[in-house]
């Protein structure tokens, strides 16, 4: 089980890799998250140390084929930080991008937040909270040399491969 100290150490490693465009084979075993909850704790610790606010969220591996491709058992959520959200028309490079992909996405702007609760929101409740939908582009990347074999807890810690968003 991860402690606050090991969570913070894992976050520091991944945050440094993100900032310096570096990669690793995996987080050191002593600080490697073993569960989704531990992965999200590391991701939260990265957000706490990142100097820019979260502007939104991304969902990775939304299809069964996508989940199979990266060896996970369900979708993964990640944060979109203000310094990684590019304006329409921005030039984006794939230099030093391991994944080498741009993904066409739908971006949903919510009229009001859907706060955490014990029961899942219904489709109607979610649709009622959506203010508008925009076409968008995500340019994901990973801090792992082989993101396909990293596993869900490490990918979640890696902010679900969030990188740039237009």
């Amino acid at each position: 089980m991860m402690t606050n100290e090991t969570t913070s150490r894992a976050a520091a490693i991944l945050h440094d890799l993100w900032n310096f465009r570096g990669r690793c084979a995996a987080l050191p075993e002593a600080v490697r998250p073993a569960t989704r909850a531990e992965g999200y704790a590391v991701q939260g610790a990265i957000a706490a140390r990142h100097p820019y606010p979260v502007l939104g969220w991304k969902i990775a591996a939304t299809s069964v084929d996508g989940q199979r491709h990266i060896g996970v058992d369900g979708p993964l959520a990640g944060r979109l930080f203000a310094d990684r959200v590019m304006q329409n028309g921005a030039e984006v490079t794939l230099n030093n991008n391991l994944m080498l992909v741009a993904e066409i996405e739908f971006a949903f702007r919510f009229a009001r937040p859907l706060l955490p609760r014990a029961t899942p929101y219904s489709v109607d409740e979610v649709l009622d909270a959506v203010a508008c939908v925009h076409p968008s582009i995500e340019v994901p990347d990973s801090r792992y040399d082989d993101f396909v074999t990293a596993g869900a807890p490490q990918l979640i810690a890696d902010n679900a491969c969030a990188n740039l968003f237009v």
Side-chain angles (χ1 to χ4, degrees):
M1 175 176 243
M2 293 186 78
T3 65
N4 287 343
E5 181 183 329
T6 56
T7 297
S8 181
R9 285 179 40 215
I13 291 167
L14 288 171
H15 194 252
D16 284 349
L17 289 171
W18 185 330
N19 285 330
F20 299 109
R21 309 287 303 147
R23 306 228 188 287
C24 66
L27 286 169
E29 190 144 350
V31 300
R32 188 179 306 157
T35 66
R36 283 175 166 265
E38 289 176 352
Y40 282 117
V42 172
Q43 189 185 115
I46 290 170
R49 72 175 45 241
H50 197 66
Y52 295 91
V54 173
L55 288 187
W57 293 82
K58 66 159 285 171
I59 306 294
T62 58
S63 72
V64 172
D65 286 341
Q67 293 164 18
R68 227 179 265 130
H69 173 66
I70 60 173
V72 299
D73 61 354
L76 315 172
R79 291 163 167 87
L80 299 173
F81 292 103
D83 64 320
R84 302 298 174 120
V85 176
M86 315 304 286
Q87 295 302 310
N88 187 23
E91 289 187 25
V92 175
T93 181
L94 292 178
N95 289 346
N96 199 32
N97 183 304
L98 177 67
M99 297 177 86
L100 295 174
V101 65
E103 300 175 346
I104 304 305
E105 305 283 358
F106 293 104
F108 297 86
R109 184 175 304 271
F110 283 79
R112 65 180 183 287
L114 295 174
L115 300 175
R117 67 182 196 189
T119 58
Y121 285 93
S122 71
V123 170
D124 287 339
E125 288 175 306
V126 173
L127 291 175
D128 187 54
V130 173
C132 57
V133 180
H134 301 274
S136 58
I137 302 169
E138 180 189 5
V139 182
D141 200 9
S142 178
R143 276 43 71 182
Y144 300 113
D145 293 326
D146 186 3
F147 63 91
V148 173
T149 61
Q154 285 198 104
L155 290 174
I156 291 167
D158 187 29
N159 208 19
C161 298
N163 184 37
L164 301 176
F165 184 79
V166 182

